[in-house]
Amino acid sequence: MNETMEQTHPEPSLQALQSGDRLEFSRLVEAYSAPIYRLALKILGNQQDAEDVLQETFIKAYRHLGEFEGRSKISTWLYRIASNEALMLLRRRHPEAISVDEDVQTTDGEQEPVEIADWCCLPEEELLTTESRDYLDHAIDTLSPNLKVVFLLRDIEGLSVREAAEALHISEAAVKTRLLRARLQLREELSHYYAERLGEVRRI
Amino acid sequence: MTQQEHGCIHPNCHELLGRLSDYVDGELDQALCIEIEKHMAECERCHLVIDTLRKTVELYRSMPTPPLPDDVRGRLLLRLNLEDFVVKSDEINTEDKKAPAGME
Ligand SMILES: [Zn+2]
C-alpha cells in the first residue's frame, strides 16, 4: 500500500500487548489517543462524548486484546472499535441522523460538480491561513455521518481503502463510493470558499 | 449542471467522475489513467474538477493531528491506570515542541 501519511508510530508489539505488558499498552495509548480523540470529536461534535469514546475504545481494546488475531494492524482494529463506539453514540444522540439505506449505490452516478474555479493556483499561505483551516475543518461537518466517517478514516487518519473497509465492516467498493462522494462534496465547499479568496487576490 | 452546460459531449465526463478518487490516489490502472488524461487534455472543466479535487484531498491530508488536550489525556491515563507508565504531560511539553503553534 502507498503509505503517504504521517504514520510515524511503529506498530506496537502484539506479543508484548497480549502478554499483558503495561508499558507496551501505554505506548499504544500514547500513539493513538490523539487521532482517536480527533476522530470521535469530528463524528460526534461534542468534547464530552468524544472523551467517553476515547476511554471506551482503550478499555475495550485492553479487555479484548486476547481475542485479537492480528489479521489487521492493531491501529486498524483500534479505529474499528472507536468508529463503532462513536457511531453507536451518535445514533443514540441523533437517531434521525443515520439512515441505513443512505448509501445504496445509485445508478445515476455521482453528483455533477457545480463550482468551477481554478483555485489550485492560490499561494500556499493563502490556502492555509488560520481562517482557511477553520473552514476546512467545518466543511467536514457538512458531510452526512456515513460519508464523514469514511472520509475521516481515509483522508484524515490515513488508513488505506482496505483498512477503512475493515474498520467499518463494509466492502471496499462501499468505501470508495462514499469516499468519492465525500471528496466531491468537500471540493464543492472548498471551491466556493476559495473562489472568493481568488477574487480578492485578483482584485489586489 | 447538465451535460450541455458542461460544454463537452463526451459521455466520458460523467463516467469519469466515478473513477476520480482512484485516479487522485494513483490507484487506477494505466489504461484508465491514460483515458482520463486524454479526456482532461480536451475538457477544461474536467481538468479543473480533477485538479481541485486533488488539491482538496492534499489540503486535508496536510492537516496535523492536534495534540490531545492535557486534561483529557490525564483522565484517560487515570481511567486506564497508566499514570505510572507514561511521561507526565508537562515533561513532554518542555522536551517536545513538535506541536505547531496555533493548533487548538
Ligand atoms: Zn469532461
Side-chain angles (χ1 to χ4, degrees):
Chain A
M1 300 292 112
N2 45 347
E3 224 77 54
T4 46
M5 231 127 308
E6 31 161 333
Q7 299 264 330
T8 42
H9 301 290
E11 275 286 291
S13 152
L14 182 58
Q15 204 185 1
L17 284 170
Q18 290 186 328
S19 68
D21 185 332
R22 303 278 295 157
L23 184 62
E24 192 67 7
F25 186 67
S26 75
R27 287 200 191 107
L28 186 73
V29 172
E30 289 290 29
Y32 291 105
S33 50
I36 281 176
Y37 180 73
R38 166 168 69 173
L39 176 73
L41 189 57
K42 288 308 284 174
I43 292 176
L44 290 155
N46 173 295
Q47 296 181 351
Q48 185 56 56
D49 284 347
E51 185 170 346
D52 289 347
V53 166
L54 174 68
Q55 295 189 359
E56 273 314 300
T57 298
F58 283 106
I59 287 170
K60 289 211 166 151
Y62 191 71
R63 247 180 238 153
H64 296 283
L65 263 171
E67 299 152 35
F68 178 64
E69 292 173 356
R71 275 192 293 236
S72 61
K73 289 202 266 181
I74 299 179
S75 53
T76 306
W77 183 62
L78 280 179
Y79 281 119
R80 177 163 162 176
I81 301 172
S83 334
N84 240 329
E85 290 292 318
L87 290 172
M88 248 167 23
L89 191 52
L90 184 69
R91 228 167 270 142
R92 220 180 304 148
R93 295 263 187 271
H94 310 276
E96 74 293 344
I98 301 184
S99 73
V100 189
D101 44 18
E102 177 192 345
D103 51 66
V104 169
Q105 297 238 4
T106 47
T107 41
D108 55 340
E110 301 305 329
Q111 189 64 44
E112 194 77 16
V114 178
E115 288 280 352
I116 302 295
D118 189 5
W119 51 269
C120 292
C121 57
L122 278 168
E124 203 75 348
E125 62 267 26
E126 188 73 28
L127 288 170
L128 289 171
T129 58
T130 311
E131 193 202 297
S132 310
R133 281 180 195 274
D134 280 350
Y135 189 88
L136 286 171
D137 194 43
H138 289 133
I140 300 176
D141 300 332
T142 66
L143 299 171
S144 72
N146 280 339
L147 299 190
K148 192 197 283 181
V149 70
V150 168
F151 177 77
L152 290 172
L153 287 177
R154 175 79 181 103
D155 286 338
I156 302 294
E157 303 306 337
L159 276 66
S160 69
V161 167
R162 192 173 51 83
E163 288 163 354
E166 279 169 13
L168 296 172
H169 240 291
I170 56 177
S171 68
E172 288 186 37
V175 167
K176 287 187 176 187
T177 307
R178 294 184 201 185
L179 181 66
L180 177 61
R181 276 187 202 160
R183 286 171 169 182
L184 284 171
Q185 192 180 321
L186 291 171
R187 193 206 70 88
E188 294 291 328
E189 299 281 337
L190 267 55
S191 295
H192 188 72
Y193 176 78
Y194 285 124
E196 280 174 30
R197 304 283 91 72
L198 200 62
E200 286 165 19
V201 172
R202 293 251 163 91
R203 244 173 272 136
I204 296 166
Chain B
M1 280 147 275
T2 60
Q3 290 297 108
Q4 275 89 350
E5 277 175 55
H6 187 140
C8 63
I9 8 93
H10 311 276
N12 289 3
C13 297
H14 206 73
E15 242 176 69
L16 195 126
L17 207 53
R19 309 186 189 281
L20 287 188
S21 257
D22 281 344
Y23 179 72
V24 167
D25 288 344
E27 284 171 7
L28 204 58
D29 66 72
Q30 212 186 353
L32 283 167
C33 264
I34 291 169
E35 205 182 303
I36 287 188
E37 273 153 18
K38 199 170 144 239
H39 179 77
M40 275 167 66
E42 296 163 355
C43 176
E44 169 128 28
R45 190 186 159 104
C46 283
H47 200 154
L48 268 180
V49 169
I50 289 173
D51 278 353
T52 48
L53 186 69
R54 183 184 286 127
K55 197 71 189 177
T56 298
V57 174
E58 236 176 73
L59 287 175
Y60 277 109
R61 292 194 168 190
S62 71
M63 282 169 82
T65 318
L68 192 63
D70 279 347
D71 52 336
V72 176
R73 181 173 178 274
R75 288 189 291 268
L76 175 68
L77 297 177
L78 201 66
R79 181 95 195 268
L80 298 171
N81 281 318
L82 285 175
E83 314 96 290
D84 300 338
F85 289 90
V86 288
V87 197
K88 297 267 184 317
S89 58
D90 44 321
E91 287 170 43
I92 290 186
N93 284 343
T94 48
E95 285 165 16
D96 181 340
K97 296 261 186 209
K98 268 185 291 179
M103 297 301 300
E104 56 207 89

